[in-house]
């Protein structure tokens, strides 16, 4: 990150159109078009959030968070699904981070360019685009049935790991690639082994990038409903999972999906309130990422 | 999310049987136990609210029993049920012979109970002042596959009606409601005109019909009951000389609203029923089914169905007392 070039200098370059009015007009028009895109995105988001908050805010209270789901909308709460979501996201992080970062390190630092590497790389890129429901079906066959994990948190977390693994790998690779070649060369020149280079130089340097990727991927996992529905995650559970291999669990997106599908307006309000809670969890996760990113990037001194 | 049905079981079966049977090791390490006090329910999203109400009411007396209810759809639910992965399967249609066979192959006998009746409401926009009821023939004229492109205004259905475009709304093609409606009205499962607005979320159908003067749609009665001021309920004339009948609690229960009323079921594995916890819960559920059905805006089962439920309970509920039945 270089912040040495003063913005004034850059601006004066852009203004320097040398009497080409058409070029200047095109430049300005493009700026307006980009600004419009930004405004459209922001406005849509703001309106959406505003409507959700307006509708659901009145329903968010301690009772809502500490009650189990119910067939009467007034008593319905998100205790089991909120706890389920938190467990699930924790387990998913536990599985996907070591696997994903490990794969990225292997592909970037150890694996020589070869057909095998190209093959692996292409497949990972393709897998990132596979609809998550497909992973749900795979999870049902592999984790729920073949490994007899039932409809448990472990099965759910492993399924979500499959969903986000390609994203974690690609983001980590990108972050590793962004570390200048000279750092590696300097490290080797000082006699460091490959392992010492990776652990002592590359990982700390790429950590902010990796973290961003991981948090984005986990945020996606937090909002997934389809693959969990496929493996048979519950919508109604009036208990908290006590262990991760036997107990059924529920998650917020499933609860929201269920409530929006009910005929009663009061359930729609509960859904909006659950969305508010889900968004809050997401914002907390992102805030944590920003904080960690800030802390780790401060340590990098080249 | 009904799109999981069908090919789901195919792929899942392939993965589990061929590729990964070696990976069952973790299950051996941490399997067993945890079974004792839990009851697993999965299946139709139409039946889900009734099962949820039952599970919730049962929890008041028996908080130690861990009941979970999922809603992956009737067919997807059965595909898990016949493998013994769930104890109770919610279904918006009777179990198929092929499914009974599959269950039997896995050593599972099934017993089914009618827990409610669901009337499908045919609704129009409140501004529609020309039509109060439709005959089954007219419904067929509107919804059969050949209607595409030829029946596009209300006038095409009845020359006396105005030339207002007919805007159709209905459930998605994977839903049990769609299957039932097409079977009863068009005479063939899943045979429907394709040019209508489908949605898996019935609230979207409500919104669609209530925003279009020429709107027409069908969905579960509960969605009409919650949106009475936004919709106009149409009577349905079965064409048997009784005239048009509108769905309500009485007409669905006594069977005079036809042919768009259907029973909805739960199926229980006899193997699970051998466990006292399950048989007690099923007893409680079926005996109070009327209450749960009405609470969730369905109609209680007919007298015949209630009688057959009671009989089945009597013969099956004692199953767990026989030592041979235990497994």
């Amino acid at each position: 990150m270089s912040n040495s070039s003063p913005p004034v200098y850059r601006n004066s370059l852009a203004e320097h159109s040398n009497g080409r009015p058409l070029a200047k007009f095109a430049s300005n028009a493009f700026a307006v078009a980009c600004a419009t895109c930004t405004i459209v995105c922001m406005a849509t988001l703001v309106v959406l959030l505003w409507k959700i908050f307006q509708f659901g805010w009145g329903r968010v209270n301690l009772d809502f968070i500490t009650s189990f789901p119910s067939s009467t909308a007034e008593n319905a709460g998100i205790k089991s699904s909120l706890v389920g979501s938190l467990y699930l996201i924790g387990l998913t992080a536990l599985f996907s981070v070591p696997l994903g970062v490990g794969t990225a390190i292997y592909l970037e630092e150890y694996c020589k360019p070869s057909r095998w590497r190209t093959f692996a790389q292409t497949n990972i890129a393709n897998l990132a685009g596979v609809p998550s429901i497909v992973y749900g079906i795979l999870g049902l066959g592999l984790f729920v049935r073949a490994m007899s994990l039932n409809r448990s948190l472990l099965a759910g977390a492993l399924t979500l790991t499959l969903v986000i693994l390609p994203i974690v790998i690609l983001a980590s690779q990108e972050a590793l690639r962004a570390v200048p070649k000279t750092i590696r060369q300097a490290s080797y020149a000082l006699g460091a082994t490959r392992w010492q280079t990776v652990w002592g130089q590359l990982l700390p340097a790429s950590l902010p990038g990796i973290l961003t990727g991981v948090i984005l991927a986990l945020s996606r996992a937090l909002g997934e409903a389809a693959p969990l529905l496929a493996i048979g995650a519950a919508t109604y559970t009036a208990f908290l999972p006590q262990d991760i291999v036997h107990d059924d669990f529920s998650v917020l997106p499933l609860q929201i999906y269920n409530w929006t599908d009910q005929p009663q307006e009061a359930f729609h309000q509960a859904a909006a309130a659950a969305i508010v809670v889900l968004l809050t969890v997401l914002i907390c996760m992102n805030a944590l990422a920003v904080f960690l990113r800030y802390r780790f990037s401060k340590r990098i001194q080249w | 999310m009904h799109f999981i049905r069908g090919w789901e079981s195919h792929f899942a079966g392939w993965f589990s049987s061929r590729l990964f049977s070696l990976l069952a090791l973790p299950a051996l390490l941490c399997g067993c136990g945890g079974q004792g006090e839990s009851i697993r329910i999965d299946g139709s999203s139409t039946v889900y609210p009734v099962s949820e109400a039952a599970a919730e009411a049962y929890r008041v007396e028996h908080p130690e029993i861990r009941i979970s209810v999922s809603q992956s759809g009737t067919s997807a639910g059965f595909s898990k049920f016949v493998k013994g992965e769930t104890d109770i399967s919610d279904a918006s249609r009777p179990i198929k012979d092929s499914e009974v066979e599959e269950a039997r192959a896995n050593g599972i006998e099934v017993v089914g109970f009618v827990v409610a009746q669901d009337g499908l409401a045919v609704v129009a926009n409140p501004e529609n002042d020309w039509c109060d009821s439709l005959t089954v023939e007219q419904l067929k004229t509107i919804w059969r596959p050949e209607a595409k492109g030829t029946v596009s205004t209300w006038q095409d259905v009845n020359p006396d009606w105005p030339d207002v475009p007919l805007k159709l709304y209905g459930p998605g093609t994977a839903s049990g409601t769609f299957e039932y409606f097409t079977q009863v009205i068009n005479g063939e499962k899943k045979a429907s005109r394709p040019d209508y607005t489908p949605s898996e979320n019935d609230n979207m159908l409500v919104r669609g019909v209530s925003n279009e003067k020429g709107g027409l749609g069908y969905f579960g009665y509960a969605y009409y009951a919650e949106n009475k001021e936004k919709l106009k309920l149409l009577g349905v004339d079965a064409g048997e000389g009784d005239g048009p009948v509108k769905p309500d609690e009485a007409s669905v229960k006594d069977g005079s609203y036809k042919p768009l009323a259907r029973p909805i079921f739960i199926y229980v594995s006899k193997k699970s029923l051998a466990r006292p916890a399950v048989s007690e819960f099923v007893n409680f559920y079926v005996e109070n089914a009327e209450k749960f059905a009405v609470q969730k805006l369905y109609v209680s089962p007919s007298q015949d169905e209630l009688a057959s439920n009671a009989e089945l309970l009597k013969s099956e509920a004692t199953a767990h007392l026989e030592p041979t039945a235990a497994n």
Side-chain angles (χ1 to χ4, degrees):
Chain A
M1 291 283 182
S2 70
N3 44 13
S4 51
S5 54
V8 184
Y9 175 63
R10 267 195 263 141
N11 274 347
S12 66
L13 248 191
E15 303 302 327
H16 193 67
S17 54
N18 268 350
R20 292 171 295 158
L22 203 62
K24 190 166 183 184
F25 173 75
S27 175
N28 287 341
F30 185 65
V32 170
C34 288
T36 314
C37 290
T38 315
I39 291 166
V40 167
C41 288
M42 291 299 292
T44 319
L45 203 64
V46 166
V47 168
L48 210 64
L49 286 179
W50 171 248
K51 290 205 108 174
I52 293 286
F53 270 82
Q54 201 186 26
F55 188 35
W57 185 247
R59 190 73 177 71
V60 183
N61 52 36
L62 203 61
D63 265 358
F64 182 66
I65 292 167
T66 57
S67 306
F68 286 117
S70 165
S71 58
T72 43
E74 294 70 33
N75 302 330
I78 54 167
K79 185 176 180 183
S80 46
S81 47
L82 179 61
V83 171
S85 269
L86 293 177
Y87 270 131
L88 195 67
I89 220 63
L91 281 172
T92 306
L94 205 64
F95 298 135
S96 61
V97 171
L99 271 177
V101 177
T103 308
I105 291 174
Y106 174 74
L107 287 176
E108 283 304 307
E109 305 301 324
Y110 287 90
C111 191
K112 294 195 183 89
S114 61
R115 271 196 199 160
W116 149 245
R117 198 191 131 155
T118 319
F119 175 76
Q121 195 69 55
T122 317
N123 269 297
I124 290 166
N126 282 335
L127 285 175
V130 171
S132 57
I133 183 75
V134 176
Y135 291 107
I137 293 157
L138 174 68
L140 178 67
L142 175 54
F143 303 126
V144 177
R145 296 203 172 133
M147 292 169 70
S148 303
L149 294 176
N150 300 322
R151 335 192 276 192
S152 65
L153 274 168
L154 189 58
L158 288 170
T159 306
L160 284 188
T161 301
L162 290 183
V163 175
I164 65 167
L165 205 48
I167 312 173
V168 175
I169 295 172
L170 291 175
S172 307
Q173 278 187 295
E174 231 23 83
L176 284 168
R177 244 174 260 161
V179 182
K181 265 251 148 16
T182 48
I183 297 289
R184 293 179 181 81
Q185 287 159 353
S187 178
Y188 294 141
L190 291 171
T193 62
R194 199 163 274 221
W195 153 250
Q196 285 167 325
T197 308
V198 168
W199 189 250
Q201 299 300 325
L202 302 183
L203 267 187
S206 55
L207 207 53
I210 292 177
L211 270 176
T212 309
V214 165
I215 291 287
L216 282 178
L218 286 178
S219 305
R220 182 183 160 189
L222 192 64
E224 282 288 355
L228 297 171
L229 201 65
I231 67 160
T235 317
Y236 173 85
T237 53
F239 53 83
L240 299 180
Q242 285 170 351
D243 70 55
I244 59 168
V245 285
H246 296 124
D247 280 342
D248 281 18
F249 67 99
S250 182
V251 289
L252 278 174
L254 272 184
Q255 199 66 65
I256 292 166
Y257 163 70
N258 170 44
W259 280 339
T260 56
D261 204 19
Q262 298 300 316
Q264 293 86 354
E265 177 94 1
F267 275 118
H268 305 166
Q269 199 193 2
I275 292 172
V276 171
V277 175
L278 185 67
L279 279 176
T280 312
V281 175
L282 265 175
I283 289 169
C284 289
M285 277 172 63
N286 284 322
L288 183 73
V290 171
F291 172 72
L292 289 175
R293 207 192 144 101
Y294 170 73
R295 277 205 53 178
F296 285 117
S297 43
K298 255 203 330 202
R299 292 212 315 229
I300 305 170
Q301 293 162 342
W302 287 329
Chain B
M1 301 204 183
H2 306 276
F3 53 83
I4 318 164
R5 290 178 187 175
W7 52 293
E8 165 266 345
S9 56
H10 178 75
F11 279 94
W14 186 77
F15 278 117
S16 58
S17 60
R18 315 254 164 107
L19 263 186
F20 301 107
S21 42
L22 277 178
L23 298 176
L25 197 64
L28 292 179
L29 297 175
C30 46
C32 337
Q35 273 281 328
E37 301 294 344
S38 66
I39 301 176
R40 294 201 165 97
I41 308 177
D42 197 350
S44 164
S45 53
T46 307
V47 192
Y48 170 85
V50 186
S51 288
E52 184 190 42
E56 191 189 1
Y58 192 67
R59 189 170 171 269
V60 176
E61 300 268 314
H62 300 271
E64 76 284 359
I65 308 286
R66 301 154 75 83
I67 304 174
S68 64
V69 194
S70 314
Q71 42 179 337
S72 51
T74 301
S75 298
F78 273 136
S79 84
K80 292 167 188 164
F81 179 69
V82 299
K83 290 187 175 68
E85 293 169 358
T86 54
D87 302 303
I88 298 172
S89 213
D90 291 339
S92 61
R93 59 160 171 80
I95 191 168
K96 289 178 189 156
D97 289 343
S98 58
E99 287 159 342
V100 175
E101 288 304 317
E102 214 183 324
R104 202 164 281 155
N106 292 319
I108 295 165
E109 295 287 327
V110 302
V111 47
F113 302 93
V114 174
V115 290
Q117 296 191 77
D118 183 20
L120 293 187
V122 178
V123 298
N125 189 279
E127 282 180 47
N128 178 330
D129 53 6
W130 57 87
C131 174
D132 289 315
S133 70
L134 289 165
T135 64
V136 169
E137 266 321 299
Q138 285 171 323
L139 278 172
K140 187 173 178 180
T141 310
I142 295 170
W143 284 98
R144 67 198 169 130
E146 298 81 39
K148 186 190 172 190
T150 59
V151 182
S152 49
T153 67
W154 283 83
Q155 204 166 37
D156 294 334
V157 184
N158 182 338
D160 297 340
W161 290 341
D163 191 20
V164 174
L166 188 60
K167 298 280 185 190
L168 295 172
Y169 295 86
T173 55
S175 94
T177 311
F178 172 79
E179 215 170 273
Y180 183 78
F181 185 87
T182 47
Q183 161 119 54
V184 175
I185 298 297
N186 297 338
E188 192 188 335
K189 251 184 207 171
K190 303 203 172 191
S192 166
R193 69 187 295 171
D195 53 341
Y196 71 102
T197 310
S199 174
E200 299 296 351
N201 188 328
D202 292 337
N203 293 310
M204 296 298 138
L205 304 178
V206 170
R207 192 171 298 174
V209 175
S210 64
N211 287 338
E212 284 281 352
K213 192 181 178 193
L216 179 75
Y218 65 91
F219 39 72
Y221 179 78
Y223 292 88
Y224 165 74
E226 284 293 328
N227 297 283
K228 281 182 179 162
E229 71 291 350
K230 293 186 209 159
L231 301 167
K232 176 181 180 181
L233 186 62
L234 300 183
V236 174
D237 186 344
E240 293 167 8
D242 300 334
V245 179
K246 285 187 181 180
D248 57 34
E249 215 183 311
S251 66
V252 171
K253 193 173 180 186
D254 67 17
S256 60
Y257 180 67
K258 54 192 170 187
L260 289 174
R262 56 173 177 172
I264 55 178
F265 308 85
I266 57 166
Y267 286 89
V268 189
S269 135
K270 287 194 184 176
K271 208 170 175 177
S272 301
L273 214 47
R275 284 163 43 204
V278 178
S279 91
E280 243 176 75
F281 171 69
V282 170
N283 255 306
F284 173 82
Y285 188 163
V286 174
E287 274 173 4
N288 297 295
E290 276 189 273
K291 194 176 85 189
F292 304 135
V294 173
Q295 186 191 336
K296 299 315 290 186
L297 302 175
Y298 291 111
V299 173
S300 81
S302 68
Q303 291 307 323
D304 289 353
E305 287 156 352
L306 286 173
S308 109
N309 277 353
E311 206 165 295
L312 272 175
L313 274 187
K314 218 182 245 173
S315 58
E316 300 297 339
T318 50
H320 67 277
L321 297 176
E322 297 164 22
T324 47
N327 199 337

